[in-house]
Amino acid sequence: MVTALVIPIICLYFFWITRKEMKLNDSKWLASAEVEKEAVLTGEIKSFNQEKQRFYYHRYILLYELTLQTDTKLIKVKKIIPIRNNINIDTFSVGEVIRIYGSWEGKHFHFKEYQRLHIDK
């Protein structure tokens, strides 16, 4: 009799905990792309890497890592996009000049928006 009551209560408790954790991680997954526009960098792309990474169970992110040559030095920049059904994949090419808007996080510059510049040489 006690078992008939305790086992469903335990199952419901773990279901509630799991659902709460999934909602929290979904909000973190969506917030991973949010970057404040605190600084602006302009430079030429020297190299780039595009990688799909697992964020949480069935949630993935698309990570762009670029190396920009600014007027003074090489800077590593990152762009994170949560992968959804209607994702727009950005294409970068070596030698392009871009202006990016984002913020510094440690040694890397995280950005969300960018603008391609046409420089006449």
Side-chain angles (χ1 to χ4, degrees), residues 1 12 22 34-36 49 56 72 83 91-92 106 112:
M1 181 77 172
L12 287 174
M22 285 182 70
E34 297 302 317
V35 177
E36 299 214 9
N49 185 22
Y56 178 77
T72 56
I83 296 179
T91 56
F92 296 103
K112 181 177 181 178

Side-chain angles (χ1 to χ4, degrees), residues 74-96:
L74 284 172
I75 297 175
K76 300 258 185 194
V77 297
K78 289 183 180 181
K79 181 176 183 179
I80 298 173
I81 303 171
I83 296 179
R84 301 184 206 168
N85 292 337
N86 57 354
I87 186 172
N88 292 332
I89 297 177
D90 299 322
T91 56
F92 296 103
S93 60
V94 175
E96 251 183 344

Side-chain angles (χ1 to χ4, degrees), residues 1-10:
M1 181 77 172
V2 173
T3 306
L5 294 174
V6 173
I7 291 178
I9 291 173
I10 290 173

Side-chain angles (χ1 to χ4, degrees), residues 3-115:
T3 306
L5 294 174
V6 173
I7 291 178
I9 291 173
I10 290 173
C11 290
L12 287 174
Y13 174 74
F14 282 113
F15 174 75
W16 178 72
I17 295 271
T18 303
R19 189 167 171 188
K20 183 176 160 185
E21 183 179 307
M22 285 182 70
K23 283 184 182 180
L24 177 67
N25 282 310
D26 281 349
S27 64
K28 285 181 183 179
W29 171 69
L30 291 173
S32 67
E34 297 302 317
V35 177
E36 299 214 9
K37 296 181 193 174
E38 297 175 348
V40 178
L41 286 179
T42 303
E44 180 182 349
I45 298 174
K46 292 297 182 181
S47 68
F48 74 95
N49 185 22
Q50 176 183 342
E51 183 179 350
K52 179 181 174 183
Q53 291 182 352
R54 180 179 291 219
F55 187 81
Y56 178 77
Y57 288 113
H58 61 286
R59 302 289 186 203
Y60 291 90
I61 59 173
L62 188 60
L63 176 68
Y64 291 103
E65 292 179 330
L66 295 99
T67 304
L68 279 184
Q69 175 67 54
T70 62
D71 292 336
T72 56
K73 62 181 179 177
L74 284 172
I75 297 175
K76 300 258 185 194
V77 297
K78 289 183 180 181
K79 181 176 183 179
I80 298 173
I81 303 171
I83 296 179
R84 301 184 206 168
N85 292 337
N86 57 354
I87 186 172
N88 292 332
I89 297 177
D90 299 322
T91 56
F92 296 103
S93 60
V94 175
E96 251 183 344
V97 177
I98 61 172
R99 178 175 291 142
I100 57 176
Y101 306 94
S103 64
W104 289 97
E105 292 183 15
K107 293 183 178 182
H108 289 70
F109 188 83
H110 288 254
F111 73 101
K112 181 177 181 178
E113 293 184 24
Y114 67 95
Q115 179 180 27

